[in-house]
Amino acid sequence: MMRAFYIGRFQPYHFGHHAIIKQIAEEVDELVVGIGSAQKSHESTDPFTAGERVLMLYNALENLPIRHYVLPIEDVRYNSIWVHHVASRTPNFEVVYSNNPLVIQLFREAGFCVKESPLYVRERYSGTEIRRRMVAGEKWEHLVPKPIVEVIREIDGVTRLRNVSASDSNSSL
């Protein structure tokens, strides 16, 4: 049995992530999904809480034909111990999927097999672009699976993102 690890911030989870996870599901038996920067929320680049992101992934992945675990992983400020930090919070895994150069380097240095996952239509499916559209009042729902739209609506996530992205006009005081 082969178990893989895939990490992302998922702010929010989108069809790019979904395509990669579907590809991983064809290659391994189980998948550990790490929700990175789990301690961050209510910021313009990280509007959703770890719990909200767990719910997003749980709902988006429930019909995929792969056993999976979704676990929040907080940041540590020392790259040299980050892989150990991740491994101490997850079930054991044999292979890591990532396209992040630092993640790839750190896991390879720690002796893990790393497979680079291609970016899936990155100019369209990126959390940055989806958050930009939300703030601007543009359509974004077609860029994420339906369960993600439902979670974001349930938590009034667009309003939160707009509020935390707004600048304080009195910041010169």
Side-chain angles (χ1 to χ4, degrees):
M1 183 182 74
M2 174 88 64
R3 185 180 298 133
F5 178 72
Y6 176 64
I7 192 163
R9 286 185 16 253
F10 308 112
Q11 292 278 13
Y13 182 87
H14 53 69
F15 280 124
H17 298 127
H18 204 64
I20 291 167
I21 288 177
K22 284 168 65 174
Q23 175 190 327
I24 294 169
E26 294 176 7
E27 299 175 17
V28 301
D29 303 299
E30 294 184 353
L31 177 62
V32 178
V33 181
I35 295 180
S37 300
Q39 78 286 359
K40 292 186 175 185
S41 71
H42 294 79
E43 299 174 6
S44 59
T45 56
D46 295 285
F48 308 112
T49 68
E52 291 161 351
R53 292 179 278 159
V54 166
L55 183 60
M56 286 180 198
L57 275 107
Y58 179 82
N59 292 349
L61 302 180
E62 70 180 337
N63 293 323
L64 288 185
I66 186 170
R67 186 172 184 184
H68 57 275
Y69 312 89
V70 179
L71 303 167
I73 300 176
E74 299 82 9
D75 292 338
V76 293
R77 299 182 61 86
Y78 301 99
N79 288 340
S80 61
I81 65 166
W82 184 74
V83 170
H84 176 74
H85 171 74
V86 168
S88 73
R89 283 154 178 76
T90 61
N92 289 336
F93 50 87
E94 294 78 34
V95 61
V96 175
Y97 287 80
S98 182
N99 56 29
N100 180 298
L102 178 59
V103 170
I104 291 167
Q105 181 66 34
L106 294 174
F107 274 106
R108 283 191 175 144
E109 284 181 8
F112 282 88
C113 172
V114 179
K115 293 188 176 184
E116 295 188 40
S117 51
L119 293 171
Y120 181 79
V121 196
R122 177 67 171 181
E123 64 280 358
R124 183 171 195 195
Y125 299 114
S126 85
T128 302
E129 174 61 13
I130 293 166
R131 292 188 308 273
R132 184 199 68 74
R133 286 170 174 258
M134 289 175 169
V135 170
E138 298 174 15
K139 295 221 173 277
W140 57 272
E141 296 88 345
H142 63 289
L143 301 173
V144 302
K146 188 173 186 236
I148 308 309
V149 174
E150 293 167 358
V151 170
I152 291 171
R153 285 190 176 141
E154 176 186 328
I155 63 170
D156 199 12
V158 173
T159 298
R160 178 194 302 164
L161 177 58
R162 287 181 182 151
N163 288 340
V164 301
S165 299
S167 63
D168 182 354
S169 60
N170 294 323
S171 61
S172 61
L173 293 176

